[in-house]
Amino acid sequence: MRISDAEILAALPDLGVELRADTRLAERTSLAIGGTTDLLRIRRYHHLPELIGLLDRAGIRHRFLGGGTNLLVVDGELPWVVLQFARPDKEVSIGGNFVSVDAAADLGRTVTYCAKNNLGGMEGLIGVPGTIGGALRMNAGAYGTQIGSFVREVEIYRAASRELLNLRGSQIRFEYRHTSFAPDDIMLTVKLELPSKPYREILQGIRVSNEKRRASQPLDQKSAGCIFKNPPGASAGRMIDELGLKGQGVGDARVSDRHANFFINAGRASSADMMQLLAQVRERVRSTYGLELENEVIVWDR
Ligand code: EPU
Protein backbone atom coordinates (compact mmCIF):
# COMPACT_ATOMS: atom_id res chain seq x y z
CA MET A 1 0.00 0.00 0.00
CA ARG A 2 1.24 3.45 -0.90
CA ILE A 3 0.63 6.48 1.31
CA SER A 4 -0.45 9.30 -1.00
CA ASP A 5 -2.33 11.48 1.50
CA ALA A 6 -0.57 14.89 1.37
CA GLU A 7 -1.47 15.79 4.98
CA ILE A 8 0.18 12.62 6.29
CA LEU A 9 3.27 12.92 4.10
CA ALA A 10 3.76 16.51 5.31
CA ALA A 11 3.31 15.57 8.99
CA LEU A 12 5.76 12.64 9.07
CA PRO A 13 9.05 14.55 9.60
CA ASP A 14 7.64 16.45 12.60
CA LEU A 15 6.48 13.16 14.11
CA GLY A 16 10.02 11.76 13.82
CA VAL A 17 8.88 9.22 11.21
CA GLU A 18 10.86 8.18 8.16
CA LEU A 19 8.93 6.82 5.18
CA ARG A 20 10.51 3.91 3.32
CA ALA A 21 8.27 3.52 0.32
CA ASP A 22 7.75 0.11 -1.34
CA THR A 23 9.62 -1.95 1.24
CA ARG A 24 9.75 -5.71 0.65
CA LEU A 25 8.92 -7.43 3.91
CA ALA A 26 10.85 -10.45 2.63
CA GLU A 27 13.91 -8.34 3.46
CA ARG A 28 12.68 -7.68 7.01
CA THR A 29 11.57 -11.14 8.12
CA SER A 30 13.73 -14.08 9.13
CA LEU A 31 11.75 -16.39 6.81
CA ALA A 32 12.56 -14.01 3.92
CA ILE A 33 8.95 -14.15 2.75
CA GLY A 34 6.49 -11.27 2.39
CA GLY A 35 5.18 -8.68 -0.05
CA THR A 36 5.60 -4.96 -0.54
CA THR A 37 4.22 -1.93 1.26
CA ASP A 38 5.20 1.44 2.72
CA LEU A 39 7.20 1.16 5.93
CA LEU A 40 7.11 3.91 8.55
CA ARG A 41 10.17 3.92 10.79
CA ILE A 42 9.34 5.63 14.08
CA ARG A 43 12.06 7.31 16.12
CA ARG A 44 9.97 8.67 19.01
CA TYR A 45 7.15 6.54 20.28
CA HIS A 46 5.52 9.49 22.08
CA HIS A 47 4.14 10.55 18.71
CA LEU A 48 2.52 7.16 18.11
CA PRO A 49 -1.05 8.22 19.09
CA GLU A 50 -0.87 11.18 16.70
CA LEU A 51 0.56 9.09 13.85
CA ILE A 52 -2.01 6.33 14.25
CA GLY A 53 -4.79 8.94 14.53
CA LEU A 54 -3.72 10.37 11.16
CA LEU A 55 -3.65 6.93 9.52
CA ASP A 56 -7.05 6.01 10.97
CA ARG A 57 -8.65 9.23 9.80
CA ALA A 58 -7.32 8.60 6.28
CA GLY A 59 -8.64 5.01 6.39
CA ILE A 60 -5.12 3.55 6.06
CA ARG A 61 -4.81 0.13 7.71
CA HIS A 62 -1.58 -0.54 9.56
CA ARG A 63 0.32 -3.34 11.28
CA PHE A 64 3.20 -3.20 13.68
CA LEU A 65 6.46 -5.02 13.00
CA GLY A 66 8.95 -5.99 15.70
CA GLY A 67 12.06 -7.95 14.66
CA GLY A 68 10.18 -10.02 12.06
CA THR A 69 11.59 -13.28 13.45
CA ASN A 70 8.31 -15.08 14.20
CA LEU A 71 6.30 -13.90 11.26
CA LEU A 72 4.90 -15.32 8.01
CA VAL A 73 3.75 -12.50 5.72
CA VAL A 74 1.66 -13.02 2.58
CA ASP A 75 3.23 -12.15 -0.80
CA GLY A 76 2.24 -9.40 -3.23
CA GLU A 77 1.05 -5.83 -2.75
CA LEU A 78 0.05 -5.60 0.91
CA PRO A 79 -3.20 -3.84 1.90
CA TRP A 80 -1.74 -2.19 5.02
CA VAL A 81 1.27 -0.03 5.84
CA VAL A 82 3.79 -1.28 8.37
CA LEU A 83 5.04 0.64 11.40
CA GLN A 84 8.36 -0.22 13.03
CA PHE A 85 10.46 1.44 15.70
CA ALA A 86 13.96 2.54 14.78
CA ARG A 87 16.54 1.33 17.30
CA PRO A 88 17.06 4.03 19.93
CA ASP A 89 20.54 5.32 20.83
CA LYS A 90 20.25 4.10 24.38
CA GLU A 91 18.30 0.85 24.66
CA VAL A 92 18.88 -0.24 28.22
CA SER A 93 19.34 1.51 31.57
CA ILE A 94 20.05 -0.23 34.84
CA GLY A 95 19.26 0.79 38.44
CA GLY A 96 20.00 -1.88 41.04
CA ASN A 97 18.18 -5.06 39.99
CA PHE A 98 15.81 -3.16 37.71
CA VAL A 99 16.43 -2.87 34.00
CA SER A 100 14.46 -0.52 31.75
CA VAL A 101 14.54 -1.62 28.14
CA ASP A 102 13.17 -0.12 24.97
CA ALA A 103 10.86 -2.46 23.04
CA ALA A 104 12.97 -2.03 19.91
CA ALA A 105 16.09 -3.36 21.66
CA ASP A 106 17.48 -6.69 20.50
CA LEU A 107 16.70 -9.44 23.04
CA GLY A 108 20.10 -11.17 22.81
CA ARG A 109 22.06 -7.92 23.18
CA THR A 110 19.95 -7.04 26.20
CA VAL A 111 20.72 -10.38 27.86
CA THR A 112 24.44 -9.81 27.25
CA TYR A 113 24.37 -6.21 28.47
CA CYS A 114 22.61 -7.25 31.69
CA ALA A 115 25.14 -10.08 32.16
CA LYS A 116 28.00 -7.58 32.00
CA ASN A 117 26.26 -5.72 34.81
CA ASN A 118 26.04 -8.92 36.87
CA LEU A 119 22.31 -9.38 36.28
CA GLY A 120 21.29 -12.87 35.19
CA GLY A 121 18.22 -15.09 34.93
CA MET A 122 17.72 -14.75 31.18
CA GLU A 123 20.59 -17.02 30.04
CA GLY A 124 18.17 -19.46 28.39
CA LEU A 125 16.84 -16.72 26.12
CA ILE A 126 20.21 -15.86 24.61
CA GLY A 127 19.67 -17.38 21.16
CA VAL A 128 16.05 -16.31 20.73
CA PRO A 129 16.11 -13.86 17.81
CA GLY A 130 14.04 -10.68 17.76
CA THR A 131 13.24 -7.60 19.80
CA ILE A 132 12.31 -7.18 23.44
CA GLY A 133 8.85 -6.03 22.30
CA GLY A 134 8.28 -9.20 20.28
CA ALA A 135 9.58 -11.37 23.10
CA LEU A 136 7.17 -9.71 25.55
CA ARG A 137 4.17 -10.01 23.26
CA MET A 138 4.71 -13.74 22.80
CA ASN A 139 6.22 -14.42 26.23
CA ALA A 140 9.29 -15.84 24.48
CA GLY A 141 10.85 -18.78 26.26
CA ALA A 142 13.59 -21.37 26.00
CA TYR A 143 15.34 -23.86 28.27
CA GLY A 144 12.95 -23.34 31.16
CA THR A 145 13.05 -19.51 31.11
CA GLN A 146 10.23 -17.23 29.97
CA ILE A 147 10.66 -13.48 29.77
CA GLY A 148 7.30 -12.85 31.49
CA SER A 149 8.60 -13.97 34.88
CA PHE A 150 10.93 -10.94 35.05
CA VAL A 151 8.42 -8.28 33.98
CA ARG A 152 7.53 -5.66 36.59
CA GLU A 153 6.08 -2.88 34.39
CA VAL A 154 5.26 -2.43 30.73
CA GLU A 155 4.45 0.75 28.87
CA ILE A 156 2.22 0.14 25.86
CA TYR A 157 0.18 1.95 23.25
CA ARG A 158 -3.36 0.61 23.52
CA ALA A 159 -4.97 0.88 20.12
CA ALA A 160 -8.50 0.27 21.45
CA SER A 161 -8.47 3.44 23.58
CA ARG A 162 -5.70 5.22 21.63
CA GLU A 163 -3.61 5.96 24.70
CA LEU A 164 -0.22 5.26 26.21
CA LEU A 165 -0.63 3.06 29.30
CA ASN A 166 1.58 1.84 32.12
CA LEU A 167 0.74 -1.69 33.25
CA ARG A 168 2.15 -3.43 36.29
CA GLY A 169 3.54 -6.92 35.72
CA SER A 170 0.78 -8.33 37.91
CA GLN A 171 -1.86 -6.90 35.55
CA ILE A 172 -0.56 -9.02 32.65
CA ARG A 173 -0.99 -12.79 32.29
CA PHE A 174 2.05 -14.53 30.86
CA GLU A 175 1.38 -18.08 29.67
CA TYR A 176 3.14 -20.53 27.36
CA ARG A 177 3.82 -18.44 24.20
CA HIS A 178 0.78 -16.32 25.01
CA THR A 179 0.02 -13.12 26.94
CA SER A 180 -3.11 -11.18 27.91
CA PHE A 181 -2.09 -8.14 25.82
CA ALA A 182 -4.69 -7.21 23.19
CA PRO A 183 -3.60 -8.26 19.68
CA ASP A 184 -3.13 -4.64 18.61
CA ASP A 185 -1.36 -3.39 21.76
CA ILE A 186 2.09 -2.03 20.89
CA MET A 187 4.91 -2.63 23.36
CA LEU A 188 6.97 0.52 24.12
CA THR A 189 9.22 -0.03 27.14
CA VAL A 190 9.54 -2.66 29.84
CA LYS A 191 11.00 -2.74 33.32
CA LEU A 192 12.49 -6.12 34.27
CA GLU A 193 13.73 -7.25 37.66
CA LEU A 194 16.69 -9.62 37.38
CA PRO A 195 18.60 -11.55 40.02
CA SER A 196 22.20 -10.55 40.80
CA LYS A 197 24.78 -13.12 39.63
CA PRO A 198 28.50 -12.99 38.91
CA TYR A 199 29.27 -12.32 35.23
CA ARG A 200 31.30 -15.51 34.85
CA GLU A 201 28.43 -17.65 36.10
CA ILE A 202 25.97 -16.00 33.71
CA LEU A 203 28.43 -16.44 30.84
CA GLN A 204 28.63 -20.15 31.58
CA GLY A 205 24.80 -20.41 31.42
CA ILE A 206 24.82 -18.52 28.13
CA ARG A 207 27.40 -20.92 26.69
CA VAL A 208 25.32 -23.95 27.69
CA SER A 209 22.14 -22.52 26.06
CA ASN A 210 24.06 -21.64 22.90
CA GLU A 211 25.51 -25.14 22.63
CA LYS A 212 22.15 -26.87 23.14
CA ARG A 213 20.55 -24.64 20.55
CA ARG A 214 23.33 -25.13 17.99
CA ALA A 215 23.10 -28.89 18.45
CA SER A 216 19.35 -29.13 17.82
CA GLN A 217 18.19 -26.15 15.73
CA PRO A 218 18.97 -25.06 12.13
CA LEU A 219 20.35 -21.64 13.07
CA ASP A 220 22.00 -20.99 9.71
CA GLN A 221 18.76 -21.35 7.76
CA LYS A 222 15.93 -18.94 7.06
CA SER A 223 13.16 -19.82 9.49
CA ALA A 224 10.73 -18.34 12.01
CA GLY A 225 11.91 -20.59 14.84
CA CYS A 226 9.39 -23.21 15.92
CA ILE A 227 6.40 -23.00 13.61
CA PHE A 228 3.84 -24.73 15.88
CA LYS A 229 3.27 -24.56 19.63
CA ASN A 230 3.79 -27.76 21.54
CA PRO A 231 0.36 -29.19 22.47
CA PRO A 232 0.04 -29.87 26.22
CA GLY A 233 2.12 -32.93 27.07
CA ALA A 234 3.33 -33.45 23.48
CA SER A 235 6.16 -32.27 21.25
CA ALA A 236 5.32 -30.92 17.79
CA GLY A 237 8.90 -31.51 16.63
CA ARG A 238 8.95 -35.14 17.74
CA MET A 239 5.58 -35.92 16.13
CA ILE A 240 6.52 -34.34 12.79
CA ASP A 241 9.84 -36.20 12.91
CA GLU A 242 8.13 -39.53 13.69
CA LEU A 243 5.88 -39.02 10.67
CA GLY A 244 9.05 -39.00 8.52
CA LEU A 245 8.44 -35.47 7.28
CA LYS A 246 11.95 -34.02 7.76
CA GLY A 247 13.19 -32.64 4.44
CA GLN A 248 9.68 -32.79 2.91
CA GLY A 249 8.33 -29.62 1.38
CA VAL A 250 6.15 -27.60 -0.90
CA GLY A 251 8.28 -25.69 -3.44
CA ASP A 252 11.21 -24.22 -1.48
CA ALA A 253 9.33 -24.39 1.86
CA ARG A 254 10.79 -27.38 3.74
CA VAL A 255 10.59 -29.14 7.07
CA SER A 256 14.11 -28.78 8.48
CA ASP A 257 16.34 -31.87 8.45
CA ARG A 258 17.67 -30.86 11.82
CA HIS A 259 14.55 -29.95 13.84
CA ALA A 260 11.15 -30.95 12.48
CA ASN A 261 9.29 -28.01 14.07
CA PHE A 262 11.44 -25.54 12.11
CA PHE A 263 10.19 -24.84 8.59
CA ILE A 264 12.83 -23.44 6.27
CA ASN A 265 12.78 -21.16 3.26
CA ALA A 266 15.38 -23.07 1.25
CA GLY A 267 15.43 -20.60 -1.65
CA ARG A 268 12.53 -18.71 -3.11
CA ALA A 269 9.60 -20.11 -1.12
CA SER A 270 6.37 -18.19 -1.57
CA SER A 271 3.97 -17.48 1.27
CA ALA A 272 1.52 -19.88 -0.41
CA ASP A 273 4.18 -22.67 -0.39
CA MET A 274 4.81 -22.12 3.31
CA MET A 275 1.11 -21.94 4.23
CA GLN A 276 0.41 -25.10 2.25
CA LEU A 277 3.24 -26.90 4.05
CA LEU A 278 1.82 -25.82 7.42
CA ALA A 279 -1.63 -27.08 6.41
CA GLN A 280 -0.29 -30.43 5.14
CA VAL A 281 1.78 -31.09 8.26
CA ARG A 282 -1.08 -30.03 10.56
CA GLU A 283 -3.38 -32.46 8.72
CA ARG A 284 -0.88 -35.35 9.02
CA VAL A 285 -0.50 -34.75 12.77
CA ARG A 286 -4.28 -34.49 13.19
CA SER A 287 -4.98 -37.74 11.34
CA THR A 288 -2.22 -39.74 13.07
CA TYR A 289 -2.15 -38.32 16.58
CA GLY A 290 -5.61 -36.75 16.87
CA LEU A 291 -3.98 -33.47 17.95
CA GLU A 292 -4.61 -30.04 16.44
CA LEU A 293 -1.34 -28.10 16.10
CA GLU A 294 -1.68 -24.40 16.79
CA ASN A 295 0.57 -21.92 14.96
CA GLU A 296 3.38 -20.44 16.96
CA VAL A 297 4.33 -18.30 14.00
CA ILE A 298 2.17 -15.19 13.52
CA VAL A 299 0.56 -15.09 10.08
CA TRP A 300 -0.11 -11.77 8.35
CA ASP A 301 -2.66 -12.62 5.70
CA ARG A 302 -4.57 -10.02 3.74
N1 EPU B 1 12.58 -33.95 18.72
C1 EPU B 1 12.64 -34.95 17.80
N2 EPU B 1 12.85 -34.59 16.48
C2 EPU B 1 12.97 -33.31 16.09
C3 EPU B 1 12.90 -32.28 17.07
C4 EPU B 1 12.71 -32.63 18.38
O1 EPU B 1 12.52 -36.12 18.12
O2 EPU B 1 13.12 -33.06 14.89
C5 EPU B 1 12.42 -34.33 20.14
C6 EPU B 1 13.66 -34.01 20.95
O3 EPU B 1 14.59 -35.04 20.90
C7 EPU B 1 13.10 -33.79 22.33
C8 EPU B 1 11.71 -33.23 22.06
O4 EPU B 1 11.39 -33.54 20.71
O5 EPU B 1 12.97 -35.00 23.01
C9 EPU B 1 11.65 -31.71 22.28
O6 EPU B 1 12.56 -31.06 21.39
P1 EPU B 1 13.43 -29.78 21.82
O7 EPU B 1 14.14 -30.06 23.07
O8 EPU B 1 14.19 -29.36 20.62
O9 EPU B 1 12.36 -28.71 22.19
P2 EPU B 1 11.05 -28.24 21.48
O10 EPU B 1 9.92 -28.56 22.39
O11 EPU B 1 10.94 -28.73 20.08
C10 EPU B 1 11.00 -25.89 22.59
C11 EPU B 1 10.59 -24.56 22.09
C12 EPU B 1 11.77 -23.87 21.41
C13 EPU B 1 12.91 -23.76 22.41
C14 EPU B 1 13.29 -25.17 22.89
C15 EPU B 1 14.33 -25.14 23.99
C16 EPU B 1 8.27 -24.61 21.44
C17 EPU B 1 7.30 -24.76 20.32
N3 EPU B 1 9.54 -24.71 21.12
O12 EPU B 1 11.29 -26.67 21.43
O13 EPU B 1 11.36 -22.57 21.06
O14 EPU B 1 14.03 -23.15 21.81
O15 EPU B 1 12.12 -25.80 23.45
O16 EPU B 1 13.77 -24.70 25.18
O17 EPU B 1 7.86 -24.38 22.58
C18 EPU B 1 10.46 -21.12 19.40
O18 EPU B 1 9.67 -20.74 20.27
O19 EPU B 1 10.45 -20.65 18.25
C19 EPU B 1 11.40 -22.17 19.73
C20 EPU B 1 12.25 -22.65 18.85
Side-chain angles (χ1 to χ4, degrees), residues 143 176-177 217 226 228 230 235 238 241 246 259-260 296:
Y143 306 114
Y176 167 64
R177 300 294 192 276
Q217 299 181 0
C226 284
F228 296 115
N230 285 332
S235 159
R238 186 180 297 140
D241 192 356
K246 276 185 169 170
H259 192 300
E296 208 231 76

Side-chain angles (χ1 to χ4, degrees), residues 161-262:
S161 48
R162 297 187 173 169
E163 57 186 340
L164 304 177
L165 279 183
N166 268 301
L167 303 176
R168 285 189 305 281
S170 57
Q171 291 175 283
I172 309 155
R173 262 184 296 113
F174 288 100
E175 294 160 5
Y176 167 64
R177 300 294 192 276
H178 178 80
T179 62
S180 57
F181 292 114
D184 50 4
D185 283 349
I186 297 175
M187 310 290 112
L188 305 176
T189 61
V190 63
K191 188 190 265 186
L192 306 169
E193 185 178 4
L194 300 176
S196 302
K197 258 194 203 181
Y199 179 50
R200 277 200 306 176
E201 213 176 287
I202 303 172
L203 211 54
Q204 183 51 25
I206 285 177
R207 283 209 190 96
V208 170
S209 309
N210 273 334
E211 274 160 28
K212 280 197 221 161
R213 195 178 288 279
R214 262 197 296 273
S216 63
Q217 299 181 0
L219 303 182
D220 52 347
Q221 306 261 34
K222 292 174 188 147
S223 83
C226 284
I227 208 94
F228 296 115
K229 294 184 187 181
N230 285 332
S235 159
R238 186 180 297 140
M239 289 187 286
I240 301 167
D241 192 356
E242 280 174 5
L243 286 166
L245 297 177
K246 276 185 169 170
Q248 300 284 309
V250 176
D252 278 341
R254 306 264 160 75
V255 176
S256 159
D257 286 324
R258 179 170 281 234
H259 192 300
N261 198 18
F262 279 64

